[in-house]
Amino acid sequence: MQFDILYQHRDFIIIYKPCGISVHKDRETQGLTTQVANQLGVPQVWLIHRLDKITSGLLILALNVESASEFSRLFAEHQIHKTYLALSHQKPKKKQGLIIGDMKKARNGAWKLCQSKENPAITRFESVSCEPHLRLFFLRPQTGKTHQLRVAMKSLGSPILGDDLYGKNIAEIDRTYLHAARLEFEFYGEKFDVKAMPKEGKWWQKDSVKMKINENPFFGKGKIPV
């Protein structure tokens, strides 16, 4: 498949990863990095961070060892600021704030949020109502734990729409509604701010959802590319 390249720099690219595509090889003949390298006509690209298979959105790939090392440092020092969008049918316990707690393994590959805070997952969030029984969340993780946002949403009483592991299995939901929509960072003194609307999923296409995304200051001023 051909990936949409949303930003191309001499040292890195930012692509749109569709939902349902793993960043790892899985059972595919070629993994994502090999496919992107072939698409660019280069020997190799470097995977800097990860998105779950069910998550769509912005993914940075380095084009050389030096930039891969620099991005690894930026991620380790929490200098890459990410904003995710999520949808839920359930009203949260609170409309905005911080979700903080240690994460422990639970059953069936799931994780759970604990009250302890020894090495906590930290997520800042805000939510707005789009229409009855449909709520939009803006999620800004301060840490990068496995399933962090999915667990955070469940802890609010608002599991992500279509998330079979942490919510209800609803047959008519066509995807898990979690999307990496914005990346903000500084790379060798140059500032970058890249945004992308989700492409897959009928619930993202609702006018009420698009309007709330574009008008919310938590996400950022100005309309984002469709």
Side-chain angles (χ1 to χ4, degrees):
M1 67 175 296
Q2 292 283 304
F3 291 93
D4 288 341
I5 299 174
L6 302 182
Y7 189 88
Q8 185 152 7
H9 185 276
R10 65 180 178 276
D11 292 316
F12 66 90
I13 61 171
I14 300 176
I15 69 168
Y16 182 99
K17 186 195 83 66
C19 65
I21 301 295
S22 176
V23 298
H24 301 293
K25 190 173 180 181
D26 285 352
R27 298 176 184 175
E28 302 296 326
T29 306
Q30 293 182 331
L32 180 145
T33 54
T34 301
Q35 292 181 59
V36 173
N38 290 342
Q39 182 177 331
L40 294 175
V42 298
Q44 184 179 355
V45 297
W46 283 259
L47 185 67
I48 304 303
H49 61 122
R50 291 164 175 78
L51 294 176
D52 284 350
K53 187 173 183 177
I54 62 170
T55 307
S56 59
L58 299 171
L59 186 70
I60 303 172
L61 296 165
L63 299 180
N64 52 62
V65 173
E66 292 77 17
S67 63
S69 176
E70 176 64 8
F71 273 112
S72 294
R73 182 188 69 81
L74 292 173
F75 273 104
E77 296 177 2
H78 307 295
Q79 297 300 309
I80 309 285
H81 305 293
K82 297 174 282 187
T83 304
Y84 289 75
L85 305 175
L87 292 176
S88 179
H89 279 330
Q90 304 297 319
K91 187 176 180 180
K93 296 173 184 176
K94 53 182 180 178
K95 293 182 179 179
Q96 62 183 19
L98 279 173
I99 305 163
I100 306 175
D102 291 327
M103 289 179 59
K104 301 280 180 67
K105 283 188 176 181
R107 297 178 180 178
N108 302 319
W111 293 74
K112 62 181 179 180
L113 194 70
C114 304
Q115 292 185 344
S116 61
K117 299 176 183 178
E118 295 177 11
N119 182 24
I122 304 171
T123 304
R124 183 174 297 279
F125 78 98
E126 180 180 299
S127 72
V128 291
S129 175
C130 297
E131 55 188 66
H133 308 296
L134 184 63
R135 201 162 189 93
L136 171 67
F137 288 76
F138 300 86
L139 306 169
R140 301 198 72 175
Q142 311 297 300
T143 52
K145 310 290 187 182
T146 301
H147 290 192
Q148 176 175 327
L149 300 182
R150 298 165 70 184
V151 173
M153 290 282 287
K154 182 181 180 182
S155 76
L156 287 172
S158 302
I160 297 171
L161 186 64
D163 190 341
D164 293 345
L165 186 59
Y166 294 100
K168 295 180 180 178
N169 188 349
I170 304 175
E172 66 269 19
I173 303 301
D174 56 353
R175 63 162 292 184
T176 300
Y177 279 81
L178 179 63
H179 175 74
R182 186 180 187 182
L183 289 168
E184 301 167 85
F185 58 93
E186 187 171 313
F187 183 78
Y188 291 129
E190 186 176 357
K191 292 184 178 180
F192 296 88
D193 185 354
V194 181
K195 306 176 188 178
M197 282 285 277
K199 298 177 181 180
E200 314 89 7
K202 63 182 182 181
W203 293 83
W204 289 127
Q205 308 311 316
K206 285 179 168 285
D207 290 339
S208 62
V209 174
K210 289 182 178 180
M211 180 181 70
K212 294 297 183 181
I213 292 173
N214 281 315
E215 73 181 16
N216 196 278
F218 189 82
F219 185 71
K221 296 179 180 179
K223 293 193 173 185
I224 61 179
V226 176

